[in-house]
Amino acid sequence: AAAARQADSWEWWNQFRSLTDFHNLLGVVLELGPELPPPDLLDRWLGEPLKAVLLPTSSFSTNKRGYPLLPRPHQELLAKLMRYQVQVVLTGDRVHDIPPEPSPPAGPGAAPGVVVDAVTGIAISNPGEQHPLRPYWEYLCYLFRKLDVLPDQERLESDYRDYLQAPLQPLQDNLESQTYETFEKDVTKYSQYEEAVYRALLDRVPPESAGSTVTTLMVVGAGRGPLVRSSMRASERAGRRLRVFAVEKNPNAIVHIQEMLRKEGWEEQVSIVSADMRHWQAPEQADILVSELLGSFGDNELSPECLDGAQRFLKADGVSIPQSYTSFMAPVTSHKLYNDVKAYKDVDHFETPYVVKFHKHYLLGPPQPIFTFNHPNWADHIDNSRYGRFKFERDASLGGAVMHGFAGYFECALYKDVTLNTHPPTHTPNMFSWFPIFFPLREPVYVPRGEAVEAHMWRCCAAHKVWYEWSVTAPVPVPVHNIGGRSYYVGL
């Protein structure tokens, strides 16, 4: 094991940066030789402050025409690193004997290696045309052009990459109009909700009763009305009659619902209730209860508490949409996020979970399920506190790693097999309403080659707040974070 550590360049880097206390100005440059380590070992660098890679000309092979060519593993690694804005620096002398190709003329009478600026008409010497490493540069440009174009949504989200955001507290605070507007752009999410309501209506009302049966549906936490719109579209698709109650406590959002009903002509079918769902007394019971109270960790925006309180509106055989959701966790390496939290220079920020669009990160293992909530919950005594212990085994071939905290995700079953997931293996395509959640650790934890990570997570409940506590017991014990909700909690 000691010999393997000495041969592992990541171990050298980790020892050096540990001596600097993980300084935020420290970066690393890798040199890519002719032979690369396995991809699983290379992936560890994705969570590190990797600034550039040095690519010697000796790492290139030769194609049939005599031009430089990189082996497939090098191509795949560079394609991945280019997406992380890692610079590629060519080093060494030209080792391929390629006859220079004549450059196209820059204009009448222009000398070789000279280009004429299209705007100013000034002749500019361009020594790059004759640079001995130009064939290698052109090959790298070719690899770059082969990259898939980022989807529009990925480009929009690029500003949020590795940026710490405090989770919303929608029960305590009324959301701003801009926040509603951002969420409403998530077409995928509302299409899934529409599909869930559509299937629930078909299951509850047989075709022979479609004309006479009116299904009562309540949207609790209606916001500016996107779930009302999805439900009405589902009703039209299914050919089932629907009566909707839109319950919302934010008076600013109510105005938008009123305008939507007027435009769509739904005033007779939809009743607006300006009230907190926890205190409203419904005039009748609902067949279907619809909500979008999920947070980045599933339950971290008090969906369990809200829906347990709202299920008093629901008939005994009624349907809740969503029906269940499960939180997932995985240990994560992220040098940048750790230093961003460290910059606050206090314990409170290390004991606060953050919503993050993970970018430069490395998961030490596949996420594991930790908490599950089901709705409706007809238990005599409802207890939404939870405890989860999870163990991540790491094969020795993966090498050592450093853990800066935990990445959290969720899977949600809206209705039967209609889902909304942020869990990477099952992520709902093109959905962006939720980024993952990050639970930081006060001190980075070194995970030696072949050793497992054992961690613990508590969801704690009190009369007026809900909070999380988390800790690690292997490979080394770590103090419990956020004891008693001293640094972070969600107010009821």
Side-chain angles (χ1 to χ4, degrees), residues 375-444:
H375 300 287
N377 181 1
W378 300 119
D380 293 334
H381 174 68
I382 296 178
D383 180 8
N384 288 322
S385 60
R386 296 285 190 276
Y387 165 70
R389 170 185 172 273
F390 46 105
K391 190 172 185 178
F392 293 87
E393 303 284 355
R394 281 181 56 81
D395 192 271
S397 64
L398 298 175
V402 158
M403 175 171 55
H404 293 117
F406 300 99
Y409 311 91
F410 71 81
E411 287 186 352
C412 170
L414 291 177
Y415 184 74
K416 295 184 175 179
D417 61 346
V418 182
T419 61
L420 289 175
N421 304 326
T422 64
H423 182 211
T426 60
H427 193 285
T428 304
N430 303 316
M431 183 186 71
F432 59 86
S433 283
W434 296 278
F435 293 154
I437 198 165
F438 174 56
F439 293 90
L441 291 173
R442 278 185 264 167
E443 296 291 339

Side-chain angles (χ1 to χ4, degrees), residues 115-126:
V115 295
V116 177
D117 186 276
V119 178
T120 64
I122 299 173
I124 303 171
S125 176
N126 185 7

Side-chain angles (χ1 to χ4, degrees), residues 29-32 52-60 68-70 74 78 82 86-96 131-141 143:
V29 176
L30 300 180
E31 185 174 37
L32 306 183
V53 291
L54 304 181
L55 185 59
T57 53
S58 58
S59 295
F60 287 79
L69 174 74
L70 282 173
H74 289 67
L78 287 179
M82 286 173 179
V86 175
Q87 294 185 17
V88 181
V89 181
L90 284 168
T91 63
D93 297 323
R94 178 168 173 162
V95 294
H96 290 73
H131 197 285
L133 298 185
R134 183 176 180 85
Y136 305 93
W137 173 79
E138 289 178 340
Y139 178 76
L140 293 177
C141 291
L143 291 182

